[in-house]
Amino acid sequence: MLKIYGKSTSINVRKVLWTCAEIGLPYALEQQSDAHRALNPNGLVPVIVDDGQALWESNSICRYLAGKHGRTDLLPAEPMARAQVEKWMDWQATELNTSWRYAFMGLVRGSAAHSDAQAIAASAAEWNRLMTLLDAQLASTGAYVAGGQFTLADIALGLSLNRWLSTPIEHPALPALQAWSNRLSTRPAYLLHGANGVP
Ligand SMILES: N[C@@H](CCC(=O)N[C@@H](CS)C(=O)NCC(=O)O)C(=O)O
């Protein structure tokens, strides 16, 4: 059986758990330990072990699972359609994650190293700028992040959406983002692993 190392409350682990739920894939969730640290030189989770091979990086794991189980609805086979999904996943892991870190660590985690009010405000402003960019993309698709269908991009960014909504910053009114949030909330797997009260 697929083994997943990590906590069910960790945002990057939740991407993998949500993907498994969409696929209907059973798994065994394992505690973080020396075992996972031996498999991932970064010491981070998630790490999976499947058919005796280890893999880390949450977005790569989600792509692997969709590919292995033939879920071309979640990750299209056609190169350009696939790249459009991957593009938004990459954007989440790079541009978007970089924007929110300071504000989230200061406001939600209460980190003393992230308590500078100006830096929090700058981080929140950049986070909102990028969520506004995402809102424009959702307005243009009228449904999901990469087009008319739910894909892995909605999983990666759906967890970011939940974190944004859960962080006490000023949230601009973003109607397409709100409609997408409502659309995601009809999915049991989002309610279980995304909008479940954990930022
Ligand atoms: N780029 C990595 C980031 C992984 C990451 O930051 N994982 C966090 C949890 S969300 C972690 O392992 N933190 C240390 C810990 O929980 O011990 C990915 O997407 O998998």
Side-chain angles (χ1 to χ4, degrees), residues 1-2 4 16-28 48 50 61 64-66 68-69 71:
M1 187 189 292
L2 171 67
I4 304 172
V16 178
L17 301 182
W18 183 358
T19 300
C20 286
E22 294 288 347
I23 297 174
L25 196 57
Y27 56 82
I48 64 163
D50 194 33
I61 294 169
Y64 163 74
L65 293 174
K68 178 176 178 185
H69 297 282
R71 291 298 298 266

Side-chain angles (χ1 to χ4, degrees), residues 95-116:
E95 310 303 321
L96 189 61
N97 274 2
T98 305
S99 75
W100 56 251
R101 192 159 286 116
Y102 198 100
F104 178 77
M105 291 303 292
L107 296 173
V108 177
R109 298 282 188 244
S111 159
H114 301 84
S115 58
D116 179 79

Side-chain angles (χ1 to χ4, degrees), residues 10-12 32 44-46 57-58:
S10 296
I11 189 166
N12 291 301
Q32 290 162 239
L44 299 172
V45 289
E57 277 302 327
S58 57

